[in-house]
Structure formats: C-alpha cells, structure tokens
C-alpha cells in the first residue's frame, strides 16, 4: 500500500477555456419615421415614403404614430409628444439593438427629444433630418385646415409664449422670435430645453447623447416657404434682435459654445449638410437615394461571441 502511495499518479484533467471573440457581422438596423405637423402615418404619402426607403435600403421601416396623428401633432405639447414616443420605442423589441431615425419637419424635434431626453431607450445610430426647425422658426407654420386655423385664431391673441398657447399649439414649442429672446427663453416650453439654451439649466447628458450619434444628416430645402429661415434645417438662425442676415450654424452660440454636442459631431466629421431644390419636404427620389438611403443601409457591427476550447492535461 505504501509503495502504491509513493507512486506518482497521472491524472488526466480536462480544462475548458472560454474566449470572448468579437465577430463583425452585417446587421440591418431598422428605422422609424416621425412625420410632420398635420400628417399621420396612415396617409398615403407617409406610407409610400416609408416603403420606398425600406425597399431601397433593405432595412425595416416603421412610422411611429403619436396619438391620433394629425390633431395630436397640432395640439399636444411637444414634451408630451416626446414622452409618448420615448415609451413607444422602448417597447419595440425590433429596436433593442439600435435603430435610425428619419424625421420630417416637426418630427425632427421630437426625434431629437427621443435622443436627448429618453432615459433607457435603445441607442439611435443615425439621425436623418428633412426640413427640421432645429434652431426654431420665426413664424407658426401654415395651419392647413379650417379646424386648426380656428384654434390658432382663438388662442394666439394671448401671445405665442403664454401658457395657454404653449399648452394648446404644439408648434409654438419651437417658435423663436429673435426680437423677443427674453420672452422666448422664459415662455417657450420645448426648444430652449432641447437646445440647452437656458444657462442655469443646461444638461450635459443631452449633449453627450446627441454627440453619440454615428451620423447626423441635415437636409435643407432651397425654396422652403414654411421654415423661417430655411437655414434652421442646418441649425442656422437669425442673430438675437434681428430678422435678417441669417447666421450659418458654425457662427451661432449653440455651435461655438457646443450646447448640444453639434460642434463635437461636426469636428468628428459626423455631420452632413445637404441642400436640395424644392419647397418644404419636396424631395425627389434621386435625392432620397443620394442623401437618405446610404445611412439606412446595412452596417457592420461587432457582436461578442463566447467560444470555448478544451485542453487535456
């Protein structure tokens, strides 16, 4: 027995090692479309727009509706519309691994609201903006229907920055009168927050989230008669106190002081400034293919994968 104990035992040990392997895979990210004011997802123009982009890009597209569409887009305050959109994207399992946003007109400020304000939402990779009032607009958009025009006429007399108007007409949330900046900062309930304009209330989380985009595509319409000025689609706007001599985005304080991360994105080469001919949202198929589709197509993503390897000793 003693000799047996002195014998060296040979034990075969099988060890399993796990290696984390990063594998590049081609993944088609879905996208959502946020329509403009007075529109709705079921309208033929929006339906066709989403279908064309899906067909051309090979990515699944969804129109995200807020409330009943047209009436809600006019009457529900934009902070509430953004909160509804935030909850919707969080509940869409298709978006869990990331997604892209295509915004149309007013839908762009809601899209930016999702990016900046939506806690716990899936990551937004690319944001493609068509005719967005990003720096504000110096006029309420055309009402478009008798019902809406009647509403505007009945409340606008109280002043665009009054509580009753801000809580009744969504687009007043991004009306910026350059000759009344004090009134705008005090009374406007949405855009000053979105653009981090209020000095003692600036939130670095908003700028970090916006600056995390992979691409920001800003499309301006050369003959836009809705946005005043049209350059707001690029974050350009009038200087404070004037209604002339539009400042290019790079000369605004929003950019130079980098309130929302726009300068950081631009300096990283992630901002694309495109302009197309036509009036507001009047975009040709060829321009859609040139300026929207490339940012919706498949992209390579790094996916972690655990690989095991066994060795015998």
């Amino acid at each position: 027995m003693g000799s047996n104990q002195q014998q060296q035992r040979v034990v075969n040990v099988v060890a399993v090692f796990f290696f984390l392997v990063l594998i590049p895979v081609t993944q088609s990210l879905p996208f959502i479309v946020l329509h403009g004011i007075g529109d709705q997802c079921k309208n033929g123009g929006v339906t066709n727009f989403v279908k064309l982009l899906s067909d051309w890009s090979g990515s699944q597209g969804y129109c995200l509706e807020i409330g009943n569409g047209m009436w809600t887009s006019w009457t529900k305050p934009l902070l509430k519309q953004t909160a509804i959109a935030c909850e919707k994207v969080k509940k869409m399992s298709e978006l869990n691994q990331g997604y892209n946003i295509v915004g149309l007109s007013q839908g762009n400020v809601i899209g930016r609201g999702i990016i900046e304000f939506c806690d716990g939402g899936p990551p937004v990779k690319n944001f493609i903006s068509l005719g967005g009032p990003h720096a504000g607009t110096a006029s309420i958009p055309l009402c478009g229907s008798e019902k809406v025009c009647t509403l505007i006429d009945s409340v606008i007399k109280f002043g665009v920055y009054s509580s009753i108007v801000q809580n009744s007409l969504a687009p007043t949330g991004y009306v910026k009168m350059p000759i009344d900046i004090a009134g705008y900062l005090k009374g406007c309930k949405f855009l000053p927050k979105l653009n981090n304009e209020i000095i003692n209330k600036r939130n670095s989380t908003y700028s970090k989230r916006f600056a995390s985009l992979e691409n920001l595509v800003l499309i301006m319409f050369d003959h836009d008669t809705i946005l005043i000025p049209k350059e707001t689609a690029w974050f350009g706007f009038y200087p404070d106190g004037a209604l002339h001599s539009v400042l290019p985005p790079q000369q605004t304080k929003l950019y130079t002081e980098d309130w929302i991360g726009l300068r950081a994105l631009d300096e990283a080469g992630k901002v694309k400034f495109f302009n197309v001919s036509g009036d507001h949202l009047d975009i040709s198929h060829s321009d859609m293919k040139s300026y929207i589709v490339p940012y919706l197509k498949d992209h390579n993503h790094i996916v972690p994968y655990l690989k095991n390897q066994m060795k015998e000793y």
Side-chain angles (χ1 to χ4, degrees):
M1 185 71 178
S3 60
N4 290 336
Q5 291 177 343
Q6 292 176 357
Q7 289 181 345
Q8 185 179 13
R9 294 182 177 179
V10 178
V11 180
N12 290 330
V13 179
V14 176
V16 180
F17 296 88
F18 290 91
F19 297 90
L20 184 64
V21 181
L22 299 179
I23 301 177
V25 299
T26 298
Q27 181 181 12
S28 178
L29 288 179
F31 66 91
I32 65 168
V33 171
L34 296 163
H35 65 69
I37 195 168
D39 215 338
Q40 50 192 342
C41 286
K42 66 181 181 181
N43 281 352
V46 177
T47 301
N48 188 53
F49 180 77
V50 176
K51 184 179 185 303
L52 288 175
L53 291 181
S54 293
D55 290 345
W56 293 336
S57 68
S59 301
Q60 183 62 53
Y62 306 90
C63 181
L64 191 77
E65 191 65 279
I66 300 171
N68 66 5
M70 183 182 74
W71 186 246
T72 299
S73 72
W74 270 106
T75 60
K76 187 175 289 293
L78 289 170
L79 280 173
K80 292 184 177 180
Q81 291 196 47
T82 299
I84 292 171
C86 170
E87 292 306 309
K88 285 200 167 189
V89 297
K90 287 197 286 189
K91 291 177 181 178
M92 292 178 66
S93 59
E94 302 92 339
L95 310 183
N96 286 347
Q97 300 304 312
Y99 67 108
N100 301 316
I101 293 178
V102 180
L104 301 172
S105 194
Q106 179 176 283
N108 286 291
V109 291
I110 296 173
R112 282 180 53 210
I114 294 173
I115 296 168
E116 295 181 31
F117 305 155
C118 189
D119 295 328
V124 179
K125 303 298 184 179
N126 297 321
F127 180 32
I128 301 100
S129 164
L130 287 77
H134 294 295
T137 183
S139 174
I140 294 178
L142 298 175
C143 49
S145 73
E146 182 178 355
K147 186 177 181 181
V148 174
C149 291
T150 301
L151 173 65
I152 291 177
D153 290 341
S154 65
V155 300
I156 202 66
K157 60 187 177 183
F158 294 101
V160 70
Y161 297 131
S162 65
S163 294
I164 187 171
V165 174
Q166 288 287 310
N167 291 325
S168 303
L169 288 174
T172 61
Y174 52 87
V175 169
K176 184 175 183 178
M177 302 305 296
I179 57 175
D180 187 16
I181 294 300
Y184 162 75
L185 292 174
K186 181 179 179 180
C188 191
K189 302 301 183 184
F190 187 72
L191 194 65
K193 176 183 175 75
L194 186 70
N195 282 349
N196 252 345
E197 293 183 81
I198 304 175
I199 295 176
N200 60 348
K201 293 184 179 180
R202 286 185 183 142
N203 191 321
S204 61
T205 298
Y206 301 163
S207 59
K208 288 178 182 177
R209 287 174 175 172
F210 193 61
S212 70
L213 289 170
E214 293 180 3
N215 289 286
L216 171 63
V217 180
L218 301 173
I219 300 174
M220 177 179 71
F221 294 85
D222 288 336
H223 303 99
D224 199 321
T225 58
I226 301 298
L227 298 183
I228 303 175
K230 65 184 180 183
E231 291 84 359
T232 186
W234 282 0
F235 284 92
F237 206 68
Y238 302 111
D240 292 354
L243 278 168
H244 56 80
S245 302
V246 177
L247 295 174
Q250 293 82 1
Q251 293 181 20
T252 64
K253 287 185 178 180
L254 178 144
Y255 185 97
T256 59
E257 297 179 9
D258 210 15
W259 295 342
I260 61 169
L262 178 63
R263 190 183 74 187
L265 278 171
D266 194 24
E267 290 178 347
K270 296 180 179 180
V271 183
K272 280 68 179 176
F273 296 95
F274 297 131
N275 62 298
V276 299
S277 61
D279 201 345
H280 191 63
L281 300 185
D282 182 13
I283 189 168
S284 67
H285 286 183
S286 61
D287 284 339
M288 288 170 64
K289 291 178 180 179
S290 296
Y291 304 131
I292 304 176
V293 172
Y295 300 95
L296 300 179
K297 285 188 174 181
D298 293 346
H299 295 279
N300 285 330
H301 293 270
I302 302 298
V303 177
Y305 170 70
L306 283 176
K307 181 179 180 181
N308 66 68
Q309 180 174 330
M310 293 191 304
K311 291 185 178 181
E312 184 176 295
Y313 296 89

